[in-house]
Amino acid sequence: MRGLRRLSLASVAMVWGRVPCRLNSRGGQPPAPLGARILTNPEDVFQHNMWDHVKWSEEEKEKARQKADDNSSLRIPLEEQGKYDIDACKYWDSFYETHQDKFFKDRKWLFLEFPELLPLGLESSATEERPCGLRAPCPEPGVSGREKETGQQRQHAPSHQHIDPLTSDCQQSCNQDGRDTAGAARQTSSFPGEHATFRIFEVGCGAGNSVYPIVSSIKQPVPKHDVILHRTFCPEDLARLGEESNKDTGAFLYCCDFSPRAVQLVKDHPDYDQSVCHAFVQDVCDEVGSFPFPPLSLDVILLVFVLSSIHPERVQGVVTRLSQFLKPGGILLFRDYGRYDLSQLRFKKGRCLSENFYSRGDGTCVYFFTKDEVHSLFSNAGLEEIQNLEDRRLQVNRGKKVVMRRVWMQSKFKKPQPLAPPL
């Protein structure tokens, strides 16, 4: 890296600016560009742990469809399904009580997948669609724990919108926390992060696996040479980067989760800093719930493995309500499970709630999306598609000689600018 620092900013950008790179566990220069590891010879499948842009044959597609049909043929009885809504908070609180913040690793891949989160201070921040285009999404560098089994990231579970808050202590806590925060903002005519120039909101923050990489980027802007490795730039950006990358980012992060215990873990983290981050308990399925910021105030909304935990019948309402908080030109970043991902095919009979919607053994739920569903979901909320991709990868356990087919959806949608009034 010392040699890299001696190069001029422009010359480094020419080499790296448009080549996003795969991180490795040992650090140093990555061995291959992200998204460029293509399996051309089946005999080489065990040469690497991950292969990108994997093509499925018609036979493989049909086999996956049959497996999903089979494991959903026996469903959880209707009279038992209600508990997965009513007790959702308890299921997630139990999870965090058991695992605390040690079950998942921080999402250090986050800025490779979504460079729009980097508060670089570039013109119109990261939410402006640039003429040089957005980089195609990168594969998630690795999964562990439940992520290896189902790809699950810690996010909030759904709750039924008509639940009596007295039926659950943690539901009562969720409601009260949200009302207290929003009420205080109304009384003072101010809100946390009101002076920020770039506002990010993560929905379903869990114990903070995305929170702290983002907080770190806000408090310690990414060095110039690292930024170039992580993002593409238009030529006019380069002239400003040297001056602006070391300035105060002016960014602020909001994060919420359905689980009070998860939010408390975030607040108890030694890096939690109220000057740049505000964590709060919120059930985003609550149609009358208030948020600690006003409409049209957010630059970025981050939805990573969270919408899949909400009942499919309520997801559209959630997205529509969230989109009201985006500024014109603001961007919504989405990553979640794709149809026929390995984790869907591994479900046993009797765990299916409805079509492509399942309950895990610990009571948490998951849905598996298609590309068309994702497009409709965000377009119906008035957002414009920037990117909507199906990320198919081959994950390999070289020790056990096991091949696993993973499917993720990754999308970016933008809130359009208002139409100019007629002259």
Side-chain angles (χ1 to χ4, degrees):
M1 295 304 292
R2 292 179 181 176
L4 178 61
R5 292 181 183 179
R6 287 196 294 268
L7 296 176
S8 69
L9 184 62
S11 62
V12 174
M14 290 177 64
V15 177
W16 291 102
R18 298 185 183 277
V19 185
C21 295
R22 181 187 304 278
L23 297 177
N24 59 28
S25 58
R26 297 182 299 276
Q29 183 172 334
L34 280 163
R37 183 171 287 160
I38 309 298
L39 180 62
T40 56
N41 184 353
E43 295 182 359
D44 295 335
V45 66
F46 294 111
Q47 296 297 313
H48 298 286
N49 294 329
M50 189 77 72
W51 296 95
D52 306 318
H53 306 303
V54 176
K55 301 290 186 181
W56 287 28
S57 67
E58 291 302 319
E59 180 182 357
E60 289 166 336
K61 292 178 183 178
E62 179 61 21
K63 184 178 179 180
R65 186 190 64 78
Q66 291 179 0
K67 179 63 175 177
D69 287 346
D70 181 63
N71 69 20
S72 61
S73 60
L74 179 62
R75 299 189 177 184
I76 297 173
L78 287 175
E79 60 270 19
E80 297 180 16
Q81 292 189 16
K83 68 179 182 180
Y84 297 104
D85 281 344
I86 296 173
D87 296 331
C89 178
K90 292 182 179 179
Y91 288 130
W92 284 103
D93 268 18
S94 177
F95 175 87
Y96 290 115
E97 181 179 16
T98 300
H99 299 288
Q100 299 292 307
D101 60 352
K102 298 178 176 61
F103 197 82
F104 303 108
K105 297 179 181 180
D106 283 348
R107 294 168 180 159
K108 296 181 180 179
W109 52 265
L110 196 63
F111 302 118
L112 298 175
E113 300 282 359
F114 298 127
E116 294 83 1
L117 291 165
L118 288 171
L120 296 177
L122 298 176
E123 184 176 356
S124 299
S125 72
T127 62
E128 182 178 351
E129 187 175 359
R130 299 197 171 276
C132 55
L134 293 170
R135 178 179 59 78
C138 310
E140 190 173 300
V143 289
S144 61
R146 179 182 290 175
E147 292 171 313
K148 277 191 176 179
E149 296 296 322
T150 66
Q152 170 67 10
Q153 305 283 347
R154 292 175 296 179
Q155 305 295 345
H156 75 273
S159 66
H160 197 286
Q161 58 191 10
H162 299 302
I163 294 175
D164 183 342
L166 296 179
T167 61
S168 168
D169 291 340
C170 62
Q171 178 66 47
Q172 194 171 21
S173 173
C174 176
N175 292 343
Q176 189 61 45
D177 189 298
R179 291 179 184 130
D180 289 348
T181 303
R186 286 194 301 268
Q187 291 174 8
T188 61
S189 299
S190 63
F191 60 96
E194 64 177 322
H195 299 299
T197 57
F198 185 71
R199 302 187 188 94
I200 303 168
F201 177 33
E202 184 193 8
V203 180
C205 62
N209 297 107
S210 294
V211 170
Y212 292 105
I214 295 174
V215 167
S216 178
S217 75
I218 292 174
K219 298 176 69 174
Q220 299 178 348
V222 181
K224 299 174 191 176
H225 57 280
D226 289 341
V227 170
I228 293 171
L229 295 179
H230 291 181
R231 187 170 180 174
T232 59
F233 293 94
C234 299
E236 60 268 22
D237 293 334
L238 296 174
R240 294 192 297 273
L241 182 59
E243 299 177 359
E244 297 181 348
S245 61
N246 293 322
K247 290 182 179 179
D248 180 7
T249 62
F252 193 90
L253 172 66
Y254 306 93
C255 58
C256 77
D257 199 279
F258 179 81
S259 166
R261 194 181 298 273
V263 173
Q264 193 59 49
L265 287 171
V266 171
K267 291 182 175 181
D268 290 342
H269 193 284
D271 292 336
Y272 183 70
D273 185 346
Q274 296 186 63
S275 68
V276 295
C277 181
H278 178 66
F280 59 101
V281 180
Q282 182 73 35
D283 177 7
V284 293
C285 292
D286 184 357
E287 295 181 358
V288 297
S290 299
F291 290 83
F293 41 76
L296 305 175
S297 63
L298 301 176
D299 294 276
V300 180
I301 294 177
L302 180 65
L303 300 170
V304 177
F305 295 100
V306 59
L307 293 186
S308 56
S309 69
I310 299 173
H311 194 286
E313 294 180 358
R314 296 200 292 275
V315 173
Q316 184 64 71
V318 170
V319 172
T320 299
R321 286 190 293 274
L322 290 175
S323 67
Q324 297 172 4
F325 293 95
L326 278 176
K327 298 176 181 177
I331 192 168
L332 190 149
L333 306 174
F334 170 82
R335 186 169 178 85
D336 221 316
Y337 301 108
R339 188 69 48 84
Y340 306 141
D341 176 59
L342 171 69
S343 58
Q344 179 179 12
L345 305 185
R346 280 182 170 176
F347 275 103
K348 305 297 183 182
K349 289 183 179 180
R351 301 310 309 172
C352 186
L353 290 162
S354 61
E355 190 173 359
N356 301 301
F357 187 51
Y358 301 80
S359 172
R360 303 186 185 91
D362 61 3
T364 60
C365 299
V366 59
Y367 182 81
F368 298 88
F369 294 93
T370 66
K371 185 176 179 179
D372 288 341
E373 288 174 342
V374 172
H375 175 81
S376 296
L377 182 64
F378 295 108
S379 296
N380 290 342
L383 304 180
E384 297 177 346
E385 179 181 310
I386 297 176
Q387 179 189 87
N388 187 23
L389 300 174
E390 189 176 53
D391 183 6
R392 292 180 180 268
R393 292 175 290 154
L394 201 63
Q395 185 178 326
V396 179
N397 185 321
R398 291 190 281 176
K400 297 182 179 180
K401 300 299 181 182
V402 174
V403 174
M404 298 163 282
R405 294 185 178 276
R406 307 311 306 263
V407 185
W408 281 275
M409 304 308 303
Q410 181 160 305
S411 308
K412 303 176 184 183
F413 285 80
K414 182 178 180 181
K415 188 166 188 175
Q417 297 285 349
L419 296 175
L423 298 177

